[in-house]
Amino acid sequence: TGSLAHVSGAHLLANVLALLALGAMVERARGARRTAALCAGAAALVGAALLALALPMTRYAGLSGVVHA
């Protein structure tokens, strides 16, 4: 759920704009279903990696992990 939470409106806007720009390119190349699956998979992997690595983080928020995956 960290990918869905954002610390501010500006943070949300920046992540949405980046995801729209990159997502549009991936969607043209791979299709809408595959793009949605890639985004969902990236979000799940980021969350799982943060849990598995047991990093000393108190919170994680935003789509940056999805955008950069």
Short mmCIF file of all heavy atoms in Angstrom, two decimals:
data_model
loop_
_atom_site.label_atom_id
_atom_site.label_comp_id
_atom_site.label_asym_id
_atom_site.label_seq_id
_atom_site.Cartn_x
_atom_site.Cartn_y
_atom_site.Cartn_z
N THR A 1 0.81 -1.21 0.00
CA THR A 1 0.00 0.00 0.00
C THR A 1 0.85 1.27 0.00
O THR A 1 0.32 2.33 -0.22
CB THR A 1 -0.96 0.02 1.20
OG1 THR A 1 -0.19 -0.06 2.40
CG2 THR A 1 -1.97 -1.09 1.13
N GLY A 2 2.14 1.13 0.25
CA GLY A 2 3.01 2.30 0.25
C GLY A 2 3.03 3.01 -1.09
O GLY A 2 3.20 4.23 -1.16
N SER A 3 2.82 2.26 -2.15
CA SER A 3 2.81 2.88 -3.48
C SER A 3 1.58 3.75 -3.69
O SER A 3 1.59 4.64 -4.53
CB SER A 3 2.83 1.79 -4.56
OG SER A 3 4.05 1.09 -4.50
N LEU A 4 0.54 3.51 -2.92
CA LEU A 4 -0.69 4.30 -3.06
C LEU A 4 -0.70 5.52 -2.15
O LEU A 4 -1.48 6.44 -2.37
CB LEU A 4 -1.90 3.41 -2.76
CG LEU A 4 -2.07 2.20 -3.67
CD1 LEU A 4 -3.27 1.37 -3.22
CD2 LEU A 4 -2.21 2.61 -5.12
N ALA A 5 0.14 5.52 -1.13
CA ALA A 5 0.20 6.65 -0.19
C ALA A 5 1.23 7.66 -0.67
O ALA A 5 2.25 7.29 -1.24
CB ALA A 5 0.58 6.14 1.19
N HIS A 6 0.95 8.92 -0.44
CA HIS A 6 1.88 10.00 -0.82
C HIS A 6 1.95 11.00 0.32
O HIS A 6 0.98 11.18 1.05
CB HIS A 6 1.43 10.66 -2.12
CG HIS A 6 1.67 9.79 -3.31
ND1 HIS A 6 0.84 8.75 -3.63
CD2 HIS A 6 2.68 9.77 -4.21
CE1 HIS A 6 1.32 8.13 -4.70
NE2 HIS A 6 2.43 8.73 -5.07
N VAL A 7 3.09 11.65 0.46
CA VAL A 7 3.29 12.56 1.58
C VAL A 7 2.75 13.96 1.32
O VAL A 7 2.60 14.74 2.25
CB VAL A 7 4.78 12.63 1.99
CG1 VAL A 7 5.26 11.29 2.50
CG2 VAL A 7 5.65 13.09 0.84
N SER A 8 2.44 14.28 0.08
CA SER A 8 1.88 15.60 -0.24
C SER A 8 1.23 15.55 -1.62
O SER A 8 1.45 14.62 -2.40
CB SER A 8 2.97 16.68 -0.22
OG SER A 8 3.86 16.50 -1.31
N GLY A 9 0.49 16.58 -1.91
CA GLY A 9 -0.12 16.69 -3.23
C GLY A 9 0.93 16.82 -4.32
O GLY A 9 0.79 16.26 -5.41
N ALA A 10 2.00 17.54 -4.04
CA ALA A 10 3.08 17.70 -5.02
C ALA A 10 3.77 16.37 -5.29
O ALA A 10 4.12 16.06 -6.43
CB ALA A 10 4.09 18.73 -4.52
N HIS A 11 3.95 15.57 -4.25
CA HIS A 11 4.56 14.24 -4.39
C HIS A 11 3.67 13.36 -5.27
O HIS A 11 4.16 12.69 -6.18
CB HIS A 11 4.73 13.64 -2.99
CG HIS A 11 5.39 12.31 -2.96
ND1 HIS A 11 4.99 11.31 -2.12
CD2 HIS A 11 6.42 11.79 -3.67
CE1 HIS A 11 5.74 10.24 -2.30
NE2 HIS A 11 6.62 10.52 -3.25
N LEU A 12 2.38 13.38 -5.01
CA LEU A 12 1.42 12.61 -5.81
C LEU A 12 1.45 13.07 -7.26
O LEU A 12 1.53 12.24 -8.19
CB LEU A 12 0.02 12.74 -5.24
CG LEU A 12 -1.11 12.11 -6.06
CD1 LEU A 12 -0.93 10.60 -6.17
CD2 LEU A 12 -2.45 12.45 -5.44
N LEU A 13 1.42 14.38 -7.49
CA LEU A 13 1.41 14.92 -8.84
C LEU A 13 2.67 14.53 -9.61
O LEU A 13 2.59 14.10 -10.77
CB LEU A 13 1.26 16.45 -8.81
CG LEU A 13 1.23 17.15 -10.16
CD1 LEU A 13 0.03 16.69 -10.99
CD2 LEU A 13 1.22 18.65 -9.97
N ALA A 14 3.83 14.65 -8.98
CA ALA A 14 5.08 14.29 -9.64
C ALA A 14 5.10 12.81 -10.02
O ALA A 14 5.50 12.45 -11.13
CB ALA A 14 6.27 14.62 -8.74
N ASN A 15 4.65 11.95 -9.10
CA ASN A 15 4.63 10.51 -9.39
C ASN A 15 3.63 10.17 -10.48
O ASN A 15 3.92 9.35 -11.36
CB ASN A 15 4.31 9.72 -8.13
CG ASN A 15 5.49 9.50 -7.21
OD1 ASN A 15 5.37 8.82 -6.21
ND2 ASN A 15 6.64 10.06 -7.51
N VAL A 16 2.46 10.78 -10.46
CA VAL A 16 1.45 10.50 -11.48
C VAL A 16 1.93 10.96 -12.86
O VAL A 16 1.78 10.24 -13.84
CB VAL A 16 0.10 11.16 -11.11
CG1 VAL A 16 -0.86 11.16 -12.28
CG2 VAL A 16 -0.53 10.44 -9.92
N LEU A 17 2.53 12.14 -12.93
CA LEU A 17 3.03 12.64 -14.22
C LEU A 17 4.13 11.73 -14.77
O LEU A 17 4.14 11.42 -15.97
CB LEU A 17 3.53 14.08 -14.09
CG LEU A 17 2.45 15.13 -13.85
CD1 LEU A 17 3.08 16.50 -13.60
CD2 LEU A 17 1.46 15.18 -14.99
N ALA A 18 5.04 11.29 -13.91
CA ALA A 18 6.11 10.39 -14.35
C ALA A 18 5.53 9.06 -14.81
O ALA A 18 5.92 8.52 -15.85
CB ALA A 18 7.11 10.18 -13.23
N LEU A 19 4.58 8.53 -14.05
CA LEU A 19 3.97 7.26 -14.42
C LEU A 19 3.18 7.38 -15.73
O LEU A 19 3.23 6.47 -16.57
CB LEU A 19 3.07 6.75 -13.30
CG LEU A 19 2.50 5.36 -13.47
CD1 LEU A 19 3.60 4.31 -13.56
CD2 LEU A 19 1.57 5.02 -12.31
N LEU A 20 2.49 8.48 -15.93
CA LEU A 20 1.75 8.68 -17.18
C LEU A 20 2.70 8.75 -18.38
O LEU A 20 2.44 8.13 -19.42
CB LEU A 20 0.91 9.94 -17.11
CG LEU A 20 -0.36 9.86 -16.27
CD1 LEU A 20 -1.01 11.23 -16.15
CD2 LEU A 20 -1.33 8.86 -16.87
N ALA A 21 3.79 9.48 -18.23
CA ALA A 21 4.73 9.63 -19.34
C ALA A 21 5.40 8.30 -19.68
O ALA A 21 5.41 7.87 -20.84
CB ALA A 21 5.78 10.68 -18.98
N LEU A 22 5.93 7.63 -18.68
CA LEU A 22 6.61 6.36 -18.93
C LEU A 22 5.61 5.26 -19.27
O LEU A 22 5.87 4.42 -20.12
CB LEU A 22 7.45 5.97 -17.72
CG LEU A 22 8.62 6.89 -17.43
CD1 LEU A 22 9.27 6.54 -16.10
CD2 LEU A 22 9.64 6.83 -18.55
N GLY A 23 4.48 5.28 -18.58
CA GLY A 23 3.45 4.26 -18.83
C GLY A 23 2.91 4.31 -20.25
O GLY A 23 2.63 3.28 -20.85
N ALA A 24 2.79 5.51 -20.79
CA ALA A 24 2.30 5.66 -22.17
C ALA A 24 3.26 5.01 -23.16
O ALA A 24 2.84 4.34 -24.11
CB ALA A 24 2.10 7.13 -22.51
N MET A 25 4.56 5.17 -22.91
CA MET A 25 5.55 4.56 -23.80
C MET A 25 5.51 3.04 -23.69
O MET A 25 5.56 2.33 -24.71
CB MET A 25 6.95 5.08 -23.48
CG MET A 25 7.15 6.52 -23.84
SD MET A 25 8.85 7.10 -23.63
CE MET A 25 9.02 7.07 -21.86
N VAL A 26 5.41 2.53 -22.48
CA VAL A 26 5.37 1.08 -22.28
C VAL A 26 4.07 0.52 -22.86
O VAL A 26 4.07 -0.53 -23.49
CB VAL A 26 5.51 0.73 -20.78
CG1 VAL A 26 5.31 -0.76 -20.55
CG2 VAL A 26 6.85 1.17 -20.26
N GLU A 27 2.98 1.24 -22.66
CA GLU A 27 1.68 0.77 -23.16
C GLU A 27 1.68 0.65 -24.68
O GLU A 27 1.14 -0.31 -25.24
CB GLU A 27 0.56 1.69 -22.70
CG GLU A 27 -0.81 1.17 -23.08
CD GLU A 27 -1.94 2.04 -22.57
OE1 GLU A 27 -1.68 3.04 -21.89
OE2 GLU A 27 -3.09 1.70 -22.87
N ARG A 28 2.27 1.62 -25.36
CA ARG A 28 2.34 1.54 -26.82
C ARG A 28 3.13 0.31 -27.27
O ARG A 28 2.81 -0.32 -28.27
CB ARG A 28 2.97 2.81 -27.40
CG ARG A 28 1.97 3.93 -27.59
CD ARG A 28 2.56 5.06 -28.41
NE ARG A 28 3.64 5.76 -27.75
CZ ARG A 28 3.48 6.79 -26.93
NH1 ARG A 28 2.28 7.23 -26.66
NH2 ARG A 28 4.52 7.38 -26.37
N ALA A 29 4.19 0.00 -26.54
CA ALA A 29 5.05 -1.12 -26.91
C ALA A 29 4.51 -2.47 -26.45
O ALA A 29 4.68 -3.47 -27.15
CB ALA A 29 6.45 -0.91 -26.33
N ARG A 30 3.85 -2.51 -25.30
CA ARG A 30 3.47 -3.79 -24.69
C ARG A 30 1.97 -4.01 -24.53
O ARG A 30 1.56 -5.12 -24.24
CB ARG A 30 4.12 -3.92 -23.31
CG ARG A 30 5.61 -3.82 -23.33
CD ARG A 30 6.20 -5.05 -23.93
NE ARG A 30 7.66 -4.97 -23.86
CZ ARG A 30 8.44 -5.60 -24.68
NH1 ARG A 30 7.96 -6.35 -25.62
NH2 ARG A 30 9.74 -5.46 -24.57
N GLY A 31 1.17 -2.96 -24.64
CA GLY A 31 -0.27 -3.10 -24.47
C GLY A 31 -0.70 -2.72 -23.05
O GLY A 31 0.09 -2.72 -22.12
N ALA A 32 -1.99 -2.42 -22.94
CA ALA A 32 -2.53 -1.92 -21.67
C ALA A 32 -2.50 -2.97 -20.56
O ALA A 32 -2.14 -2.67 -19.42
CB ALA A 32 -3.96 -1.43 -21.88
N ARG A 33 -2.89 -4.20 -20.88
CA ARG A 33 -2.92 -5.25 -19.83
C ARG A 33 -1.53 -5.54 -19.30
O ARG A 33 -1.33 -5.68 -18.09
CB ARG A 33 -3.55 -6.52 -20.37
CG ARG A 33 -5.03 -6.42 -20.50
CD ARG A 33 -5.61 -7.74 -20.88
NE ARG A 33 -7.05 -7.58 -21.05
CZ ARG A 33 -7.84 -8.52 -21.48
NH1 ARG A 33 -7.35 -9.70 -21.80
NH2 ARG A 33 -9.12 -8.30 -21.61
N ARG A 34 -0.57 -5.65 -20.19
CA ARG A 34 0.79 -5.94 -19.74
C ARG A 34 1.36 -4.77 -18.94
O ARG A 34 2.05 -4.97 -17.95
CB ARG A 34 1.69 -6.24 -20.93
CG ARG A 34 3.09 -6.65 -20.49
CD ARG A 34 3.91 -7.09 -21.65
NE ARG A 34 3.96 -8.55 -21.61
CZ ARG A 34 4.49 -9.29 -22.54
NH1 ARG A 34 4.98 -8.73 -23.63
NH2 ARG A 34 4.53 -10.58 -22.43
N THR A 35 1.05 -3.55 -19.34
CA THR A 35 1.51 -2.38 -18.60
C THR A 35 0.92 -2.36 -17.20
O THR A 35 1.63 -2.11 -16.22
CB THR A 35 1.16 -1.08 -19.35
OG1 THR A 35 1.77 -1.12 -20.64
CG2 THR A 35 1.64 0.15 -18.60
N ALA A 36 -0.37 -2.64 -17.09
CA ALA A 36 -1.01 -2.69 -15.77
C ALA A 36 -0.40 -3.79 -14.92
O ALA A 36 -0.14 -3.59 -13.72
CB ALA A 36 -2.51 -2.91 -15.92
N ALA A 37 -0.13 -4.94 -15.52
CA ALA A 37 0.48 -6.05 -14.79
C ALA A 37 1.90 -5.68 -14.34
O ALA A 37 2.31 -6.01 -13.21
CB ALA A 37 0.50 -7.30 -15.64
N LEU A 38 2.65 -4.99 -15.19
CA LEU A 38 4.00 -4.57 -14.83
C LEU A 38 3.98 -3.59 -13.66
O LEU A 38 4.80 -3.68 -12.74
CB LEU A 38 4.70 -3.94 -16.03
CG LEU A 38 5.14 -4.89 -17.13
CD1 LEU A 38 5.59 -4.11 -18.36
CD2 LEU A 38 6.25 -5.81 -16.65
N CYS A 39 3.04 -2.66 -13.69
CA CYS A 39 2.93 -1.69 -12.59
C CYS A 39 2.56 -2.37 -11.29
O CYS A 39 3.15 -2.10 -10.23
CB CYS A 39 1.91 -0.60 -12.93
SG CYS A 39 2.47 0.55 -14.19
N ALA A 40 1.57 -3.25 -11.34
CA ALA A 40 1.16 -3.97 -10.13
C ALA A 40 2.29 -4.86 -9.61
O ALA A 40 2.54 -4.91 -8.40
CB ALA A 40 -0.09 -4.80 -10.42
N GLY A 41 2.96 -5.53 -10.52
CA GLY A 41 4.07 -6.38 -10.13
C GLY A 41 5.22 -5.59 -9.51
O GLY A 41 5.81 -6.01 -8.51
N ALA A 42 5.53 -4.46 -10.11
CA ALA A 42 6.60 -3.61 -9.57
C ALA A 42 6.25 -3.12 -8.17
O ALA A 42 7.10 -3.12 -7.28
CB ALA A 42 6.88 -2.44 -10.51
N ALA A 43 5.01 -2.71 -7.98
CA ALA A 43 4.58 -2.24 -6.66
C ALA A 43 4.70 -3.36 -5.62
O ALA A 43 5.19 -3.15 -4.50
CB ALA A 43 3.15 -1.72 -6.72
N ALA A 44 4.28 -4.56 -6.00
CA ALA A 44 4.36 -5.70 -5.08
C ALA A 44 5.81 -6.05 -4.78
O ALA A 44 6.17 -6.33 -3.62
CB ALA A 44 3.63 -6.90 -5.67
N LEU A 45 6.67 -6.03 -5.80
CA LEU A 45 8.08 -6.35 -5.59
C LEU A 45 8.79 -5.33 -4.70
O LEU A 45 9.61 -5.69 -3.86
CB LEU A 45 8.80 -6.48 -6.92
CG LEU A 45 8.52 -7.76 -7.70
CD1 LEU A 45 9.15 -7.68 -9.08
CD2 LEU A 45 9.03 -8.97 -6.95
N VAL A 46 8.47 -4.07 -4.89
CA VAL A 46 9.08 -3.03 -4.04
C VAL A 46 8.67 -3.25 -2.59
O VAL A 46 9.52 -3.24 -1.68
CB VAL A 46 8.68 -1.62 -4.52
CG1 VAL A 46 9.04 -0.56 -3.48
CG2 VAL A 46 9.34 -1.29 -5.84
N GLY A 47 7.39 -3.49 -2.36
CA GLY A 47 6.92 -3.74 -0.99
C GLY A 47 7.56 -4.98 -0.39
O GLY A 47 8.00 -4.97 0.77
N ALA A 48 7.62 -6.05 -1.16
CA ALA A 48 8.23 -7.29 -0.68
C ALA A 48 9.71 -7.11 -0.40
O ALA A 48 10.24 -7.62 0.61
CB ALA A 48 8.01 -8.41 -1.69
N ALA A 49 10.41 -6.38 -1.26
CA ALA A 49 11.84 -6.15 -1.06
C ALA A 49 12.10 -5.34 0.20
O ALA A 49 13.03 -5.63 0.96
CB ALA A 49 12.44 -5.44 -2.27
N LEU A 50 11.28 -4.33 0.44
CA LEU A 50 11.45 -3.53 1.65
C LEU A 50 11.23 -4.38 2.90
O LEU A 50 11.96 -4.24 3.89
CB LEU A 50 10.49 -2.33 1.65
CG LEU A 50 10.81 -1.25 0.63
CD1 LEU A 50 9.70 -0.21 0.58
CD2 LEU A 50 12.15 -0.59 0.94
N LEU A 51 10.26 -5.29 2.86
CA LEU A 51 10.03 -6.18 4.00
C LEU A 51 11.18 -7.18 4.15
O LEU A 51 11.67 -7.42 5.25
CB LEU A 51 8.71 -6.94 3.82
CG LEU A 51 7.44 -6.16 4.10
CD1 LEU A 51 6.22 -7.00 3.74
CD2 LEU A 51 7.38 -5.73 5.55
N ALA A 52 11.60 -7.77 3.05
CA ALA A 52 12.65 -8.79 3.09
C ALA A 52 13.99 -8.23 3.55
O ALA A 52 14.73 -8.90 4.27
CB ALA A 52 12.80 -9.44 1.72
N LEU A 53 14.30 -7.02 3.12
CA LEU A 53 15.57 -6.41 3.48
C LEU A 53 15.57 -5.85 4.90
O LEU A 53 16.63 -5.55 5.45
CB LEU A 53 15.94 -5.30 2.49
CG LEU A 53 16.20 -5.78 1.06
CD1 LEU A 53 16.36 -4.58 0.13
CD2 LEU A 53 17.43 -6.67 1.01
N ALA A 54 14.40 -5.73 5.49
CA ALA A 54 14.26 -5.21 6.85
C ALA A 54 15.05 -3.91 7.05
O ALA A 54 15.80 -3.76 8.01
CB ALA A 54 14.66 -6.26 7.88
N LEU A 55 14.89 -3.01 6.10
CA LEU A 55 15.58 -1.73 6.19
C LEU A 55 15.05 -0.91 7.36
O LEU A 55 13.87 -1.02 7.70
CB LEU A 55 15.39 -0.94 4.89
CG LEU A 55 15.95 -1.59 3.64
CD1 LEU A 55 15.55 -0.81 2.40
CD2 LEU A 55 17.45 -1.72 3.73
N PRO A 56 15.89 -0.13 7.98
CA PRO A 56 15.45 0.67 9.13
C PRO A 56 14.63 1.89 8.70
O PRO A 56 14.99 3.03 8.96
CB PRO A 56 16.75 1.07 9.81
CG PRO A 56 17.75 1.12 8.70
CD PRO A 56 17.33 0.03 7.74
N MET A 57 13.55 1.64 7.99
CA MET A 57 12.67 2.72 7.52
C MET A 57 11.42 2.72 8.39
O MET A 57 10.89 1.66 8.72
CB MET A 57 12.27 2.48 6.07
CG MET A 57 13.42 2.54 5.10
SD MET A 57 12.93 2.08 3.43
CE MET A 57 11.76 3.33 3.02
N THR A 58 10.94 3.89 8.72
CA THR A 58 9.69 3.96 9.48
C THR A 58 8.49 4.12 8.57
O THR A 58 7.38 3.80 8.96
CB THR A 58 9.72 5.12 10.49
OG1 THR A 58 9.98 6.34 9.79
CG2 THR A 58 10.81 4.88 11.53
N ARG A 59 8.71 4.59 7.33
CA ARG A 59 7.61 4.69 6.37
C ARG A 59 8.13 4.72 4.94
O ARG A 59 9.26 5.09 4.69
CB ARG A 59 6.71 5.86 6.64
CG ARG A 59 7.33 7.20 6.68
CD ARG A 59 6.30 8.26 7.03
NE ARG A 59 6.45 8.64 8.40
CZ ARG A 59 6.47 9.88 8.83
NH1 ARG A 59 6.30 10.87 7.99
NH2 ARG A 59 6.63 10.16 10.08
N TYR A 60 7.26 4.31 4.05
CA TYR A 60 7.55 4.34 2.62
C TYR A 60 6.28 4.81 1.93
O TYR A 60 5.19 4.32 2.22
CB TYR A 60 7.93 2.95 2.09
CG TYR A 60 8.00 2.90 0.58
CD1 TYR A 60 9.09 3.41 -0.09
CD2 TYR A 60 6.94 2.39 -0.17
CE1 TYR A 60 9.15 3.40 -1.48
CE2 TYR A 60 6.99 2.38 -1.55
CZ TYR A 60 8.10 2.88 -2.19
OH TYR A 60 8.15 2.88 -3.56
N ALA A 61 6.41 5.76 1.02
CA ALA A 61 5.23 6.26 0.32
C ALA A 61 5.62 6.70 -1.09
O ALA A 61 6.69 7.23 -1.31
CB ALA A 61 4.63 7.45 1.07
N GLY A 62 4.73 6.42 -2.03
CA GLY A 62 4.89 6.93 -3.38
C GLY A 62 5.07 5.86 -4.45
O GLY A 62 5.28 4.69 -4.16
N LEU A 63 4.96 6.32 -5.68
CA LEU A 63 5.08 5.46 -6.85
C LEU A 63 6.50 5.44 -7.43
O LEU A 63 6.71 4.87 -8.48
CB LEU A 63 4.12 5.94 -7.94
CG LEU A 63 2.65 5.69 -7.70
CD1 LEU A 63 1.81 6.51 -8.66
CD2 LEU A 63 2.34 4.22 -7.84
N SER A 64 7.45 6.04 -6.75
CA SER A 64 8.81 6.13 -7.30
C SER A 64 9.39 4.75 -7.57
O SER A 64 10.09 4.56 -8.56
CB SER A 64 9.71 6.91 -6.35
OG SER A 64 9.24 8.23 -6.24
N GLY A 65 9.12 3.80 -6.71
CA GLY A 65 9.61 2.44 -6.94
C GLY A 65 9.05 1.83 -8.21
O GLY A 65 9.75 1.15 -8.95
N VAL A 66 7.78 2.11 -8.48
CA VAL A 66 7.14 1.62 -9.69
C VAL A 66 7.70 2.34 -10.91
O VAL A 66 8.04 1.71 -11.92
CB VAL A 66 5.60 1.79 -9.63
CG1 VAL A 66 4.95 1.42 -10.93
CG2 VAL A 66 5.02 0.98 -8.48
N VAL A 67 7.83 3.64 -10.82
CA VAL A 67 8.32 4.45 -11.94
C VAL A 67 9.76 4.06 -12.29
O VAL A 67 10.10 3.95 -13.46
CB VAL A 67 8.24 5.95 -11.62
CG1 VAL A 67 8.96 6.79 -12.66
CG2 VAL A 67 6.77 6.38 -11.51
N HIS A 68 10.58 3.80 -11.31
CA HIS A 68 11.99 3.49 -11.55
C HIS A 68 12.25 2.02 -11.82
O HIS A 68 13.36 1.66 -12.18
CB HIS A 68 12.86 4.01 -10.40
CG HIS A 68 12.89 5.49 -10.34
ND1 HIS A 68 12.04 6.22 -9.56
CD2 HIS A 68 13.64 6.38 -11.00
CE1 HIS A 68 12.29 7.50 -9.71
NE2 HIS A 68 13.25 7.63 -10.59
N ALA A 69 11.27 1.18 -11.59
CA ALA A 69 11.45 -0.26 -11.86
C ALA A 69 11.40 -0.44 -13.34
O ALA A 69 11.98 -1.14 -14.02
CB ALA A 69 10.37 -1.07 -11.19
#
